[in-house]
């Protein structure tokens, strides 16, 4: 018997000796206590969960690839229903984590669950500089690197900062293994940080400039570098384990699966590397197409075009051998993959879904500009549009548009779906955290080829919606001596008040007959200055009428609100120039509730103040009290319960506050004015005209094609009036 | 009282149909080997116990994914090893990284012949990286061919083979039993 035989026999003896004394009864009791209370999953679900395993040549566990493709179609349908049900029951912070670029080591950019329903802005924060890489969402925290070289740890609940890491140089990352964060600085030093407090666990030796990112797997942290190399560091200590040179050009962030790294270089190499020792397993030369980050799924490696590359192809290779499987002659980025669905974006604005196994196209959605980083979460595909500065949600089954959400700048990387949030990072340094309102979504746009698709600015711009109003009567305001009208309001008895650029308020009866006029340019009580000193600002002069008939006038450039009797007798004024509570720079839209409380938006201070009937400040809210209010809040309106609806034109969000100033709802509806009818439906006037009516579920229910229609005002007697751009006032009836 | 011999295949089929008693029989008879494997991989009895419990609960919940009853045991090993690796991942910062071999005197002949030498071998086994230790356990403790180990781990057979080779070489080197060292790292 040779020495090896002896050694192995000794080893077997040691193994047997080491494992004596299993506590069978205790383990069995604990197991059965649980298993008696649950039933096995249905075959389809159980099979989909388990990755395939063969014994001999036969599949023993899970599905074959072909079966997997078929099952995924069925599962997608089940999933859509299950996600809607389960997702609505989940708390916002439940759901899977997101561990770095494209979600984690496989770069599949997918998860089984995401938010349900229309987007609701939970918070938005400004991290100070452009965000160009995916955040990590882990537990109750969001970690994001900004272009100024800072790593920010934010609370998932409200976006507030937990801690910050500043290496004093540029920073790439982050990624995580679920317990530790990894970032690379400008010198190629990898920093391993504790997720809870940001304590540095270790810092590696400098690996050189230009690292593209990190990846944690197999107890190592892999660093892809600018000089064609990949380095493997010990995950516990940061010590260098191996370093391999793949080519002469920079290496994109690699993917990892089954013990191997898949890495692409800028000079067109795709290389499979043994993660244990850095040895090359196979190598494919693609040519100078500008490749991106590989994606591994379904036993395939997908390699798309580099971000922003107008040429290039999407290719699939056998992950085990590197043999080519299929090539799509279109510059698509590496796809998001869930089951048998692979969805790619492109520099030409296309979003293309393909069968992940065969590459056959399933659907296509077109838009202008560059689309970024699709994520598949459950039955929804999320895409950022760089040109339109919007996030699209598409129906994963057929590509129909579900909703859009405007953001404040372009996007070069980052749509992340984790913990039932959609997180978006923008080039202006904003991080948006969106949740869902739980509603059932219906695709509002068909899947059509990009050549015939006109980019839709919002999901709301649908011509199939009914007309909201019919015009009952139209009066030319010139006939009653009003030129260049600014604003209109309706009194409790149907009387109408109109302000104009001559700094007057005109009083009309319910039929539009002239009753009186007061004002004129000046600072004295009863005089107005509606034209703000800043030449770029729009003239204001907003009006509101209280239930008792008192008329409130926003006297913008005199920094005050004046109160008049119904026939124009000056009663009082409140507010003065300044930024303290109760002071104004440019008082703008205002509204009065049933108790005589007045709510005023300030265009200069970008805040909303509520005053008591006596003029005392009840509360002040702005973007610092709730990120949803960051920006200019336009037209305020109140419903019977004192809820306030406002629109923030900077973000295109309609925001609803309760009577105490708390944001209780927000939804995307780009526009510059919003008012509410007695039924609570919200009328959003576009900044360039056009009007859309939203129902209680935030879905558009009607629109208006009335030329030049301004913001409709609703009287307490059911009367609806609006100004039009031709200097008329129209009396409207609600028809839809 | 009469009884009849029930095969594992029949028990698996019964368990697949929701028969918890059949599952209980299968689970009980599997526990000793699952626990042994988990204890060797995790090196801590309490965590091994937890890992086996997790694996068996998952086995019951997902038993309908098992298409081939004969693969029951191999599938349980896979679930157990996954549970061990999850546990190792979760407790990584509590673990002491002990990858370097001890500085021990070499043994020239008839290895290992004493109790002390077997203890040292057990210690070297415990010091292997978890991936290598797992392959050793699958092959030498659970007596599985490398092809099955490859399926269970979901990694190529070549990877399994190289992990095993490195594990043995590393232990032999540490024990001074000859065979030459195999570098675990490429020079940078």
């Amino acid at each position: 018997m040779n020495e090896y035989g002896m050694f192995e026999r000794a080893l077997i003896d040691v193994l047997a000796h080491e494992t004596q004394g299993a506590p069978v009864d205790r383990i069995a009791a604990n197991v059965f206590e649980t298993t008696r209370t649950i039933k096995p999953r249905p075959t389809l679900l159980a099979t989909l969960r388990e990755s395939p395993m063969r014994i001999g040549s036969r599949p023993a566990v899970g599905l074959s690839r072909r079966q997997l493709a078929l099952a995924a179609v069925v599962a997608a349908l089940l999933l859509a229903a299950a996600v809607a049900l389960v997702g609505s029951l989940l708390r916002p912070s439940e759901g899977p984590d997101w561990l770095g670029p494209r979600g984690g080591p496989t770069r599949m950019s997918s998860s089984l669950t995401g938010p349900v329903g229309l987007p609701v802005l939970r918070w938005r924060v400004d991290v100070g500089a452009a965000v160009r890489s995916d955040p990590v969402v882990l537990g109750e925290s969001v970690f994001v690197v900004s272009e100024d070289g800072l790593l920010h740890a934010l609370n998932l609940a409200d976006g507030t900062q937990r801690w910050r890491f500043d290496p004093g140089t540029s920073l790439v990352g982050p990624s995580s293994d679920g317990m530790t964060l990894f970032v690379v600085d400008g010198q190629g030093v990898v920093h391993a940080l504790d997720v809870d407090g940001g304590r540095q666990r270790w810092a590696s030796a400098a690996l050189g400039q230009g690292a593209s990112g990190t990846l944690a797997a197999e107890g190592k942290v892999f660093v892809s570098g600018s000089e064609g190399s990949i380095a493997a560091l010990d995950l516990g200590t940061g010590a260098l384990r191996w370093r391999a040179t793949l080519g002469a050009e920079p290496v994109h962030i690699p993917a990892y699966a089954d013990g191997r790294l898949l890495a692409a270089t800028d000079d067109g190499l795709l290389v499979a590397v043994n993660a244990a020792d850095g040895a090359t397993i196979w190598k494919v030369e693609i040519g100078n197409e500008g490749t991106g980050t590989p994606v591994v799924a379904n036993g395939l490696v997908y390699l798309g075009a580099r971000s922003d590359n107008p040429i290039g192809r999407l290719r699939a290779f056998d992950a085990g051998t590197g043999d080519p499987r299929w090539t799509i002659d279109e510059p698509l980025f590496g796809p998001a993959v869930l089951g048998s669905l692979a969805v790619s974006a492109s520099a030409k604005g296309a979003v293309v879904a393909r069968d992940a196994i065969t590459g056959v196209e399933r659907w296509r959605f077109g838009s202008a500009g560059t689309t970024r980083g699709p994520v598949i979460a459950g039955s929804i595909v999320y895409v950022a549009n760089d040109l339109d500065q919007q996030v699209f949600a598409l129906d994963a089954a057929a590509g129909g548009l579900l909703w859009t959400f405007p953001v404040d700048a372009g996007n070069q990387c980052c749509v992340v779906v984790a913990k039932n949030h959609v997180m978006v990072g923008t080039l202006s340094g904003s991080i948006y955290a969106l949740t869902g309102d739980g509603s059932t979504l219906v695709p509002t746009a068909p899947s059509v080829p990009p050549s015939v698709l006109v980019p839709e600015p919002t999901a709301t711009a649908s011509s199939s919606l009914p007309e909201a109003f019919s015009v009952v009567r139209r009066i030319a305001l010139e006939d009653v001596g009003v030129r260049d009208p600014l604003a209109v309001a309706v009194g409790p008895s149907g009387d109408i008040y109109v302000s104009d650029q001559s700094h007057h308020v005109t009083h009309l009866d319910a039929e539009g007959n002239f009753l009186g006029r007061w004002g004129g340019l000046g600072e004295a009580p009863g005089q107005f200055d509606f034209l703000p000193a800043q030449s770029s600002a729009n003239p204001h002069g907003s009006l509101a009428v209280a239930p008792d008939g008192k008329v409130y006038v926003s006297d913008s450039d005199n920094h005050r609100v004046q109160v008049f009797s119904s026939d124009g007798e000056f009663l009082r004024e409140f507010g003065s120039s300044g930024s303290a509570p109760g002071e104004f720079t440019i008082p703008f839209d205002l509204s009065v509730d049933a108790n005589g409380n007045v709510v005023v938006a300030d265009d200069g201070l970008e805040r909303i103040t509520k005053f008591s009937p006596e003029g005392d400040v009840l509360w002040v809210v702005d973007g610092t009290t709730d990120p949803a209010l960051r920006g200019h809040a336009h037209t305020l309106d109140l419903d019977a319960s004192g809820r306030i609806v406002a629109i923030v034109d900077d973000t295109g969000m309609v925001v609803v506050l309760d009577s105490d100033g708390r944001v209780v709802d927000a939804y995307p509806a780009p526009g510059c004015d919003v008012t509410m009818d007695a039924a609570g439906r919200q009328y959003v006037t576009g900044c360039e005209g056009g009007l859309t009516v939203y129902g209680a579920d935030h879905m558009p229910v009607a629109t208006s094609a009335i030329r030049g229609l301004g913001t409709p005002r609703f009287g307490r007697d059911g009367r609806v009036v609006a100004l039009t751009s031709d200097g008329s006032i129209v009396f409207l009836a609600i028809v839809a | 009282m009469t009884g009849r011999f029930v095969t594992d295949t029949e028990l698996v089929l019964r368990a697949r149909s929701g028969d918890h008693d059949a599952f209980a029989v299968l689970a009980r008879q599997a526990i000793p080997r699952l626990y042994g494997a988990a204890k060797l991989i995790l090196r801590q009895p309490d965590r091994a116990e937890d890992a086996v419990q997790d694996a068996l609960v998952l086995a019951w919940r997902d038993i309908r994914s098992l298409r081939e009853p004969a693969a029951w045991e191999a599938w349980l090993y896979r679930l157990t090893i996954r549970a061990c690796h999850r546990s190792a991942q979760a407790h990584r910062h509590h673990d002491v990284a002990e990858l370097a071999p001890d500085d021990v005197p070499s043994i020239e002949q008839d290895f290992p012949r004493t109790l002390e030498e077997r203890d040292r071998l057990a210690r070297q086994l415990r010091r292997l990286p978890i991936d290598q230790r797992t392959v050793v356990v699958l092959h030498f403790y659970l007596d599985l061919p490398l092809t099955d180990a490859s399926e269970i781990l979901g990694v190529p057979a070549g990877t399994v083979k190289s992990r095993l080779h490195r594990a043995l070489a590393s232990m032999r080197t540490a024990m001074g039993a000859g065979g030459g060292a195999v570098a675990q790292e490429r020079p940078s």
Side-chain angles (χ1 to χ4, degrees), chain B residues 108-134:
Chain B
E108 300 296 329
Q109 53 183 324
D110 286 344
F111 168 82
R113 56 185 181 179
T114 67
L115 199 55
E116 183 199 342
E117 286 163 1
R118 283 169 190 258
D119 284 343
R120 279 177 45 211
L121 179 57
R123 204 158 59 239
Q124 294 310 325
L125 175 71
R126 287 196 288 271
R127 289 178 173 175
L128 288 176
I130 189 167
D131 287 342
Q132 294 179 22
R133 205 162 58 240
T134 301

Side-chain angles (χ1 to χ4, degrees), chain B residues 21 32 34 64 68 74 79 110 125 128 130 132 134 136 153 160 166:
Chain B
D21 291 342
L34 299 183
R64 287 173 181 155
E68 180 60 62
L79 294 176
D110 286 344
L125 175 71
L128 288 176
I130 189 167
Q132 294 179 22
T134 301
V136 169
L153 294 174
V160 172
R166 280 200 298 275

Side-chain angles (χ1 to χ4, degrees), chain A residues 380-662:
Chain A
I380 298 179
V381 175
Y382 300 89
V383 189
N385 184 296
D386 199 24
L387 183 71
D388 286 349
Q389 303 181 2
Q390 302 214 48
V391 177
F392 296 128
L394 306 174
D395 164 37
L401 182 64
L402 295 169
W403 51 257
T404 66
F405 183 89
V407 292
D408 62 356
N411 181 302
Q412 286 208 344
C413 58
C414 336
V415 180
V416 159
V417 181
K419 298 284 179 195
N420 282 316
H421 285 70
V422 178
M423 318 284 306
V424 188
T426 72
L427 291 178
S428 72
S430 289
I431 301 288
Y432 291 78
L434 310 177
T435 56
D437 68 359
S439 61
T440 302
L441 297 178
V442 179
T444 56
S447 173
V448 293
S451 55
V452 298
L453 189 112
V454 178
E456 290 200 0
T458 73
T460 64
S462 172
S463 59
S464 61
L465 294 172
E467 170 62 47
F469 298 115
S470 65
V471 177
V472 177
R473 191 168 169 216
R474 180 186 293 265
I475 296 172
L477 283 168
E478 266 194 0
D479 295 347
V480 291
V482 176
R483 286 187 179 178
D484 303 318
L486 289 172
V488 63
V490 186
S493 59
D495 287 8
I496 297 163
Y497 299 88
V498 183
S499 61
D500 63 44
Q501 291 195 30
S502 72
H503 313 280
H504 285 90
V505 173
T506 299
H507 181 195
L508 308 175
D509 69 13
E511 302 306 313
N513 300 309
F514 180 83
L515 292 177
R517 175 176 294 133
W518 73 90
L521 181 62
E523 297 177 5
Q527 294 182 313
F528 305 115
D529 188 348
F530 293 149
L531 300 181
Q534 302 100 311
S535 58
S536 61
N538 292 320
H540 295 325
S542 295
L543 306 168
V545 187
D548 60 5
K550 291 194 181 85
V551 181
Y552 290 71
V553 184
S554 182
D555 187 8
S556 307
D557 214 36
N558 288 323
H559 319 291
R560 64 186 176 184
V561 172
Q562 298 194 60
V563 188
F564 299 88
S565 69
S566 60
D567 54 5
E569 181 190 350
F570 174 80
L571 298 176
R572 63 187 177 91
E573 64 177 48
F574 59 89
S576 57
S577 179
S579 58
E583 296 177 336
F584 300 113
T585 57
I586 308 172
F588 185 30
D589 286 315
L590 76 175
S591 194
V592 188
D593 72 12
N595 300 318
N597 299 303
V598 188
V599 182
V600 185
D602 190 308
D603 202 20
L605 297 171
E606 297 188 349
R607 70 185 189 189
I608 298 170
T609 306
K610 185 173 182 177
F611 296 90
S612 71
E614 295 73 36
D616 298 327
V617 175
L618 297 176
W619 49 252
V620 181
V621 294
D622 61 14
T624 64
T625 54
D626 195 304
L629 291 171
R630 187 173 295 175
H632 292 75
H634 282 226
T635 309
L636 298 164
D637 208 356
L638 293 155
D639 67 9
S641 62
R643 291 200 322 162
I644 300 154
V645 61
I647 192 161
V648 183
D649 66 347
D650 294 340
T651 58
M653 295 291 294
V654 168
V655 182
V656 181
L657 301 95
D658 66 14
S659 59
D660 294 324
R662 286 187 293 261

Side-chain angles (χ1 to χ4, degrees), chain A residues 54-129:
Chain A
R54 303 172 78 85
I55 293 297
S57 60
R58 291 192 301 177
V61 177
L63 292 176
S64 66
R65 276 188 208 162
R66 189 172 299 170
Q67 290 169 319
L68 194 63
L70 183 63
V73 175
V74 178
L77 295 172
L78 291 172
L79 202 60
V83 163
L85 178 64
V86 174
S88 64
L89 301 174
L90 290 175
R91 289 204 313 273
S93 62
E94 290 178 341
D97 295 322
W98 189 273
L99 295 178
R102 302 181 63 90
T106 61
R107 313 300 180 204
M108 285 168 67
S109 299
S110 60
S111 81
L112 289 175
T113 59
V116 176
L118 285 163
V120 176
L121 181 66
R122 196 171 187 205
W123 51 262
R124 185 185 81 166
V125 296
D126 182 359
V127 294

Side-chain angles (χ1 to χ4, degrees), chain A residues 3-4 6-32 34-36 38-43 45-56 58-64 67 177-180 201 218-219 234-237 240-245 256 258-260 274 276-280, chain B residues 15-16 18 20 23-25 27-28 31-32 35-37 39-40 48-49 52-54 56-58 60-68 70-71 74-75 78-79 82 89-93 97 99 108 110-112 118 121-122 125-126 131 136-137 140-141 148 151-156 159 162-163 166 168 171-172 175 177-180 184-188:
Chain A
E3 190 181 10
Y4 288 96
M6 287 175 64
F7 182 87
E8 288 160 359
R9 283 197 309 164
L11 178 60
I12 290 166
D13 285 347
V14 166
L15 291 169
H17 183 263
E18 289 278 300
T19 54
Q20 290 170 356
V24 175
D25 289 338
R26 188 167 62 228
I27 293 175
N30 289 339
V31 170
F32 301 153
T34 303
T35 53
R36 276 200 191 92
I38 58 175
K39 289 186 173 175
R41 289 180 200 272
T43 303
L45 283 181
T47 307
L48 284 171
R49 281 182 58 84
E50 203 40 27
S51 51
M53 185 173 92
R54 303 172 78 85
I55 293 297
R58 291 192 301 177
V61 177
L63 292 176
S64 66
Q67 290 169 319
D177 64 343
M179 291 191 302
T180 307
R201 292 186 172 176
E218 286 198 2
D234 186 284
L235 193 141
T237 65
L240 184 68
R241 288 285 173 233
W242 54 257
R243 190 166 197 169
T245 300
Y256 168 89
D258 298 337
R260 58 186 63 184
N274 188 329
D277 57 13
T280 296
Chain B
R16 272 181 53 94
H20 188 267
F23 169 77
V25 173
R28 272 191 159 277
I31 285 171
Y35 174 79
K39 191 176 161 198
L40 288 167
E49 220 173 303
V52 173
Q53 287 170 22
D54 289 350
L56 286 170
V57 170
L58 284 179
W60 171 244
R61 200 186 58 180
D62 289 337
I63 193 165
R64 287 173 181 155
S65 71
L66 185 65
R67 303 169 67 192
E68 180 60 62
W75 182 54
R78 175 156 86 164
L79 294 176
R82 279 185 193 160
Q89 183 87 350
H91 293 84
R92 186 189 299 122
H93 57 290
L99 302 184
E108 300 296 329
D110 286 344
F111 168 82
R118 283 169 190 258
L121 179 57
L125 175 71
R126 287 196 288 271
D131 287 342
V136 169
V137 169
F140 289 113
Y141 176 70
D148 287 4
E151 280 295 336
I152 286 168
L153 294 174
V155 300
T159 304
S162 64
R163 283 180 190 171
R166 280 200 298 275
L168 292 175
M171 284 190 290
R172 275 199 301 270
M175 297 298 294
Q184 292 203 35
E185 301 166 19
R186 282 163 61 102
S188 57

